[in-house]
Amino acid sequence: GASEEDSVNCVQNLSLYRDYYKQKLYDDAYKYWSIVYKICPASSERMYVDGVSLLGRKIKAAKTKEEKSLYVDSLMAVYDQRVANFKKEGYVLGRKGTDLLRYRSNDPEAVFNTLDKSMQLQGKKAEAGAIVSYMNAAVLMEKAGKKTAADIVEVFGTMSDVLAHNISKYEGKKTQQYYIKAEESVAKVASPYLSCEVLVEMANKNYEKNKSDAKWMERTADILDKKECTDAP
C-alpha cells in the first residue's frame, strides 16, 4: 500500500540527505531533506536540527528579499513542525524566537511573544542564548512603544535570577561560560534602562539569599561599578 511505499521512500531519502549533508553538499542535502520533511515528518528529530541549518544556508544565499522571506517562513514552519512531532515546546520556541529576532526584528511583537512563551515554559531551564534574545526582544518592544521602561527592568530582574541560578548550577562546567557571557550581554542591553536606584534596589532584594556567594557579590559589585553606582552601601 501507499504507506509501505512511503516508508521505503522515507528511509531512502533520509539516508540520501544525510549522506550529502555529511559531505557538506548542502544543496543536494536540501533536495532530499525536503522530501523527508514532507512525507515523514515524525521520522527523525535530528532532521529538524539539520533542517534549521540547511534553511539558514538558504536564507544566507537568497538573492532577493522575497526569496529570503520565503525561506524564513519555511524555517519558522520547521520549528512548529518539530514541536508538533517531538514536543519540547519551551526549548524549541527559544530557538525559534532567536531566529525571529535575527530575521524579523521589524515585527517585535512576534519575536517577544515567542520568547516570552519560551521563558514561561522553560523557567530556570532557559538556554543562555534564548535569555539574551528575550532581553533584546523586550528592548525592541520598548522602542516600538509597546513596553515601558519599568517592563524592561522587570524582565532584567527575572532574567538575572535565571542567569544566577544557572551560573551556580554549572559551576566549573563549560556551560557556565555561556551563562556568564549571557549575563554580561543582558546587563549591556538593559543598561540604558537601569538607574542606580533600580540596580541598588535589586541588589538589596537579592542580597540576603546570595550574601554568602562570593561570585554573586563580585558580579553585582561589578554591575554597580560599571554604572558608577558606588555610593550605595
Side-chain angles (χ1 to χ4, degrees):
S3 62
E4 205 174 304
E5 193 180 317
D6 264 358
S7 66
V8 171
N9 239 338
C10 179
V11 172
Q12 261 173 350
N13 286 293
L14 199 59
S15 107
L16 278 165
Y17 110 69
R18 287 211 169 128
D19 282 347
Y20 283 118
Y21 192 88
K22 277 195 200 104
Q23 295 170 55
K24 299 189 169 54
L25 297 166
Y26 299 114
D27 284 336
D28 293 317
Y30 180 76
K31 203 163 63 190
Y32 296 105
W33 172 86
S34 300
I35 299 169
V36 179
Y37 177 67
K38 212 198 230 98
I39 66 174
C40 44
S43 59
S44 145
E45 191 169 12
R46 173 87 224 161
M47 179 209 21
Y48 289 93
V49 180
D50 292 341
V52 164
S53 143
L54 287 168
L55 280 160
R57 288 169 189 283
K58 290 286 183 195
I59 292 166
K60 230 191 205 126
K63 296 277 184 284
T64 63
K65 263 198 171 125
E66 292 73 25
E67 190 190 1
K68 181 176 177 174
S69 189
L70 283 171
Y71 281 127
V72 172
D73 288 341
S74 300
L75 176 63
M76 296 312 150
V78 167
Y79 285 118
D80 296 340
Q81 278 300 318
R82 177 174 175 178
V83 171
N85 288 288
F86 292 99
K87 310 285 183 273
K88 296 188 191 159
E89 186 179 15
Y91 167 80
V92 176
L93 286 179
R95 295 296 177 104
K96 181 185 182 183
T98 296
D99 271 344
L100 276 171
L101 179 69
R102 182 178 300 154
Y103 302 121
R104 296 261 155 96
S105 59
N106 59 345
D107 184 0
E109 268 176 286
V111 181
F112 182 82
N113 293 339
T114 302
L115 288 161
D116 190 53
K117 188 170 184 191
S118 170
M119 291 301 141
Q120 286 171 28
L121 291 166
Q122 289 299 85
K124 294 225 154 83
K125 290 195 177 74
E127 279 195 295
I131 293 171
V132 175
S133 297
Y134 184 52
M135 193 72 245
N136 277 293
V139 168
L140 280 182
M141 288 288 276
E142 194 277 334
K143 289 198 160 87
K146 293 170 201 261
K147 290 251 174 255
T148 64
D151 294 329
I152 304 298
V153 172
E154 194 180 326
V155 169
F156 176 75
T158 313
M159 290 304 102
S160 296
D161 287 349
V162 176
L163 287 162
H165 166 83
N166 284 289
I167 287 168
S168 71
K169 177 181 167 183
Y170 291 107
E171 182 67 58
K173 298 194 172 67
K174 193 182 165 191
T175 306
Q176 188 191 38
Q177 288 312 309
Y178 298 127
Y179 284 103
I180 289 173
K181 277 207 177 71
E183 188 181 50
E184 287 163 9
S185 302
V186 162
K188 203 185 212 159
V189 172
S191 178
Y193 301 89
L194 304 175
S195 62
C196 287
E197 203 182 342
V198 164
L199 285 169
V200 170
E201 190 187 331
M202 275 181 57
N204 286 336
K205 194 186 86 195
N206 292 311
Y207 176 74
E208 276 313 310
K209 67 170 191 262
N210 290 300
K211 62 182 173 193
S212 58
D213 178 349
K215 290 243 169 61
W216 179 85
M217 297 288 271
E218 207 175 296
R219 282 197 316 273
T220 303
D222 199 39
I223 290 176
L224 292 171
D225 216 27
K226 281 202 179 91
K227 292 286 284 189
E228 299 178 352
C229 312
T230 41
D231 320 340

